[in-house]
Amino acid sequence: MADHTAVAGLLGAVPAAHPLTAVVHAAGVLDDATVPSLTPAHLDRVLRPKADAARHLHALTRELDLAAFVLFSSAAAPLGAPGQANYAAANAYLDALARHRAAAGLTGVSLAWGSWAPDGGMAAQLGEGDTRRLNRSGILPLSAQEGLDLFDRALLDPGLPGPAPLALRTDLAALRAQAATGLVHPLLGTLAPAADRPAGGGTPAAADGATGALRDRLAALPDEERRAETLRLVRTEAAQILGHDGADAIEAGRGFLDMGFDSLTAVELRNRLGALTGVRLPSTLIFDHPAPEALAAHLAESLAAPGEERGAALLAELDRIGSRLATADLDPVVRVGVTARLHSLLARYEQTPEETGSADLATKIDDASDDEIFDFIDNELGAV
């Protein structure tokens, strides 16, 4: 099908008594590689059966009165897929060709499929890690029946929005989990917007609600605490990528490659950590920093702010806590516990007599009742 002469001969062999009325182009070949390692051979192997074949079919049938011209594209084109830049490009060509045909008044639809159940075809090439990655992305495999139903709808539904629809089965819970961490794809985020405050669990970014909040919180921490927090973040994300139940399964000193990371999962870890922290990270991240503790130390150093910025970030964090405490409707027992925690935190913070108002600050908190300390935090600490 990638040979123009061969396609012309095939179409010429269709008998006049039974003229051609429909074309369905379903070919596809994978040859995955990350962008830096793509070669012309990677591109040729994937684009020829997709793009070249579609172009020949389009050019050689455009004068025929076709009832259908269907191209099997992939969600890899509009959504992207790790290690599949060549495959995404090939399918993007099909989507563009369908739009070109529509603009020319010709029939045509390009179905951007999600994965089909891995019992044959291209999905049979997926490993266990690939399947886990797809499930985490919020896109679940289609059964054969679901795929055929979507195929019928694409051909028969006059209300179909445009000639290049996405044909997916989605997991809304997985999409909401991604939205909570800011990692959901923009095209899928509207299906499951994140709640203002996730109900427990998730990554530190989910707890803080935004990348900026996490970055500022980490920047304000002392060096040792920041390293501990970034190590927890790295272990948590690595565990999720590898399909483990929790961060405890990731040994701080064990190499990423020994754990089972490959080039694709390495890119995913880089992308997740970059999105969560706002730090620009290289694609060679786990090769430059081959174990979680080394990577965490690099992140901690990248997130460290100068003293002035740390002070501003810390004051902003105190303002936020003060606002939340002022509006919190707490059980009396919990309230006492919060008060004790605040006393403990203040005791750990070493103040010098030279600091303006520090002695008065400590005296007021030591002498304050439970009710007074909440009013104090809201009214006076916010002013600092």
Side-chain angles (χ1 to χ4, degrees):
M1 299 303 295
D3 184 311
H4 184 277
T5 302
V7 176
L10 174 66
L11 296 175
V14 176
H18 303 285
L20 182 69
T21 60
V23 170
V24 178
H25 174 39
V29 171
L30 292 175
D31 195 3
D32 292 353
T34 55
V35 170
S37 58
L38 278 176
T39 65
H42 283 113
L43 295 172
D44 289 345
R45 177 170 168 76
V46 172
L47 266 69
R48 279 175 55 81
K50 278 278 188 185
D52 289 0
R55 183 173 71 253
H56 300 328
L57 288 167
H58 160 69
L60 294 169
T61 65
R62 64 179 305 152
E63 303 302 325
L64 302 180
D65 184 21
L66 296 179
F69 188 94
V70 185
L71 303 167
F72 272 36
S73 179
S74 168
L79 300 182
Q84 293 189 336
N86 50 354
Y87 189 63
N91 288 290
Y93 180 90
L94 301 190
D95 298 344
L97 179 59
R99 292 187 174 94
H100 172 72
R101 287 180 62 90
L106 301 173
T107 184
V109 61
S110 179
L111 291 170
W113 294 106
S115 64
W116 286 45
D119 54 1
M122 299 175 74
Q125 303 176 42
L126 297 177
E128 183 179 348
D130 298 316
T131 302
R132 284 200 305 265
R133 186 161 53 246
L134 281 173
N135 290 342
R136 275 199 313 276
S137 74
I139 300 175
L140 300 177
L142 291 161
S143 69
Q145 187 58 54
E146 288 170 331
L148 292 173
D149 290 344
L150 288 175
F151 180 90
D152 289 344
R153 182 175 178 183
L155 268 62
L156 302 175
D157 187 350
L160 197 69
L166 274 162
L168 302 173
R169 179 185 170 208
T170 57
D171 179 348
L172 295 184
L175 290 178
R176 281 192 291 268
Q178 288 195 54
T181 61
L183 295 174
V184 70
H185 194 286
L187 293 181
L188 301 176
T190 54
L191 298 177
D196 291 336
R197 178 67 56 176
T203 64
D208 283 318
T211 295
L214 172 64
R215 183 174 59 246
D216 292 343
R217 182 172 69 83
L218 291 174
L221 291 175
D223 292 344
E224 185 175 349
E225 292 184 30
R226 186 171 58 257
R227 282 193 294 270
E229 283 293 301
T230 54
L231 179 58
R232 184 172 70 88
L233 177 65
V234 169
R235 294 176 68 196
T236 297
E237 297 305 315
Q240 291 184 3
I241 289 172
L242 294 179
H244 296 305
D245 292 334
D248 290 343
I250 303 298
E251 300 176 32
R254 188 182 181 193
F256 286 110
L257 297 180
D258 293 336
M259 296 180 202
F261 273 83
D262 57 21
S263 59
L264 297 185
T265 47
V267 170
E268 184 178 0
L269 180 62
R270 186 277 305 265
N271 291 344
R272 291 173 71 91
L273 291 174
L276 289 168
T277 64
V279 176
R280 186 175 180 84
L281 300 169
S283 58
T284 56
L285 184 66
I286 73 166
F287 302 101
D288 299 335
H289 312 282
E293 58 186 3
L295 177 51
H298 171 71
L299 273 179
E301 182 179 352
S302 300
L303 289 164
E308 297 81 1
E309 293 182 18
R310 289 196 203 182
L314 181 57
L315 288 173
E317 186 73 7
L318 289 173
D319 286 341
R320 187 180 68 84
I321 293 172
S323 298
R324 293 198 63 194
L325 288 174
T327 58
D329 184 14
L330 300 177
D331 178 273
V333 175
V334 176
R335 191 179 182 92
V336 171
V338 170
T339 302
R341 179 70 185 276
L342 290 171
H343 277 290
S344 175
L345 290 173
L346 186 62
R348 290 171 54 192
Y349 183 72
E350 296 180 357
Q351 295 177 313
T352 63
E354 290 76 18
E355 293 181 35
T356 303
S358 62
D360 292 340
L361 211 60
T363 300
K364 286 182 179 181
I365 291 181
D366 285 338
D367 295 339
S369 66
D370 290 346
D371 291 332
E372 288 172 339
I373 197 168
F374 275 84
D375 294 336
F376 169 72
I377 289 173
D378 184 46
N379 297 327
E380 294 201 34
L381 195 55
V384 176

